[in-house]
Amino acid sequence: MSIIDYRAQRLDRNHARKLILEIAQRHPAQIRFSNHALEEMRKDNMTTVDVFNIIKSPSAKILHEGEMERGTYRYRLETQNMMVVVAFDSKTSLAIVTAWRKQL
């Protein structure tokens, strides 16, 4: 069995989406918010509950493959109205990098 470095190896967007949902369901205490995410969320009047709702929403999609930035692959999870950028720390741990409301 090979060990996957969830920070440095890009996952297929469908696999990433499934893993995000699994972490939210089985390991919600392992989801951390960066200071930047919390600041951006405040600017857009978003809460951590909003982010958890996006993560768990069946309508939330990752439309593009992960992008490498600052040593980790990041994935944009989006709904019609909001966007959440996440990075995996491990198979059971997730960082919310940033989040915002889309301008319609």
Side-chain angles (χ1 to χ4, degrees):
M1 175 190 279
S2 65
I3 297 174
I4 297 174
D5 180 351
Y6 286 88
R7 291 175 168 231
Q9 183 175 338
R10 182 169 58 191
L11 303 175
D12 167 88
R13 63 190 172 120
N14 294 319
H15 181 194
R17 179 65 185 110
K18 288 175 187 174
L19 190 55
I20 291 166
L21 186 57
E22 183 177 319
I23 291 170
Q25 291 173 339
R26 294 185 180 179
H27 310 283
Q30 297 299 318
I31 298 176
R32 65 180 175 82
F33 289 79
S34 71
N35 288 334
H36 175 75
L38 293 171
E39 181 180 320
E40 293 302 314
M41 290 163 54
R42 270 192 296 277
K43 287 180 185 177
D44 282 4
N45 197 30
M46 292 174 67
T47 67
T48 56
V49 172
D50 291 323
V51 172
F52 275 97
N53 286 340
I54 293 166
I55 289 171
K56 293 178 180 179
S57 172
S59 66
K61 307 284 185 225
I62 297 176
L63 300 178
H64 305 285
E65 299 301 326
E67 300 172 341
M68 175 62 83
E69 188 172 328
R70 296 185 184 178
T72 62
Y73 276 98
R74 296 172 182 204
Y75 303 86
R76 293 176 176 227
L77 182 62
E78 58 186 285
T79 63
Q80 184 176 356
N81 299 317
M82 296 179 192
M83 178 87 70
V84 175
V85 178
V86 304
F88 294 100
D89 291 327
S90 70
K91 185 177 181 179
T92 61
S93 179
L94 186 68
I96 306 302
V97 177
T98 192
W100 66 88
R101 288 186 190 278
K102 293 180 179 179
Q103 299 298 321
L104 301 177

